[in-house]
């Protein structure tokens, strides 16, 4: 819920079957907006896969080759992928932000951009919020520095017309 309130859509891509995944989602109180399985994904072309990726949030019985996050990236989404297995390494590399956990296999940790030391989506949510605050502060600093130096640069450019040594 906190991720959703922050504008982050949670999508689950798993090799497990649909009943197991639905039970897990019910236990964790993750709303199921729709499901798709690997055989359905195999039948779709790229535009169909892009549309499906927008409308469902659970992908079951997916093979490692089908863990394509390019469908979301093609729609202009920023994709963070969390994985801990060998089969997740290509998706971790292909995502905008690859996230793994400390107990993951070495291949997944090497492919990831971030390694979470705390377990749970709460740690991920806190990291996203802190990253947003940091990015906002950096932007403020850049804008402040640019605006304060603009007057100096404008004055020097004007003065160079009259003072040849500038």
């Amino acid at each position: 819920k906190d991720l959703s309130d922050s504008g982050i859509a949670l999508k689950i891509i798993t090799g497990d079957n649909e009943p197991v995944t639905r039970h897990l989602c019910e236990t964790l109180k993750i709303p199921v907006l729709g499901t798709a399985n690997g055989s359905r994904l195999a039948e779709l072309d790229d535009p169909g896969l892009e549309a499906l990726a927008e409308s469902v949030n659970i992908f079951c019985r997916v093979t490692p080759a089908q863990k394509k996050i390019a469908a979301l990236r093609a729609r202009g989404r920023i994709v963070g992928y969390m994985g801990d297995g060998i089969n997740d390494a290509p998706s971790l590399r292909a995502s905008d932000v690859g996230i793994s956990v400390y107990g993951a296999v070495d291949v997944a940790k090497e492919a990831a951009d971030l390694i979470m030391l705390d377990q749970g989506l709460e740690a991920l949510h806190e990291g996203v919020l802190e990253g947003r605050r940091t990015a906002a502060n950096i932007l403020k600093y850049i804008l402040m520095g640019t605006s304060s130096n603009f007057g100096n640069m404008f004055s020097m450019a004007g003065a160079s017309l009259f003072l040849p040594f500038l």
Side-chain angles (χ1 to χ4, degrees):
K1 182 170 179 350
D2 290 339
L3 290 171
S4 179
D5 291 344
S6 296
I8 299 169
L10 181 64
K11 299 197 183 275
I12 298 172
I13 304 171
T14 181
D16 292 332
N17 63 22
E18 187 174 337
V20 169
T21 307
R22 279 188 177 274
H23 175 71
L24 178 65
C25 290
E26 289 171 10
T27 303
L28 297 174
K29 296 181 176 66
I30 298 172
V32 177
L33 305 176
T35 61
N37 60 27
S39 59
R40 183 174 174 197
L41 297 178
E43 298 169 356
L44 296 173
D45 58 355
D46 286 344
L49 182 59
E50 291 172 18
L52 181 68
E54 288 284 338
S55 62
V56 302
N57 67 335
I58 308 293
F59 299 90
C60 304
R61 302 301 298 167
V62 177
T63 65
Q66 289 176 322
K67 291 182 179 180
K68 298 177 184 173
I69 54 160
L72 288 169
R73 292 188 74 193
R75 289 277 184 141
R77 303 287 186 216
I78 296 173
V79 177
Y81 185 89
M82 183 183 292
D84 63 353
I86 294 171
N87 295 332
D88 294 318
S91 297
L92 287 165
R93 281 276 184 218
S95 65
D96 293 305
V97 179
I99 305 165
S100 191
V101 293
Y102 184 72
V105 298
D106 289 339
V107 173
K109 289 195 287 189
E110 289 174 13
D113 299 309
L114 299 171
I115 299 175
M116 290 180 37
L117 299 178
D118 292 335
Q119 293 184 2
L121 294 176
E122 296 87 12
L124 180 65
H125 182 247
E126 290 172 14
V128 167
L129 294 180
E130 188 63 33
R132 288 177 178 175
R133 279 193 292 274
T134 302
N137 286 337
I138 290 170
L139 183 60
K140 283 184 221 176
Y141 180 78
I142 290 171
L143 290 174
M144 186 250 341
T146 302
S147 65
S148 67
N149 287 327
F150 179 75
N152 293 340
M153 295 305 294
F154 188 70
S155 299
M156 292 300 281
S160 68
L161 296 174
F162 303 106
L163 302 171
F165 61 88
L166 287 178

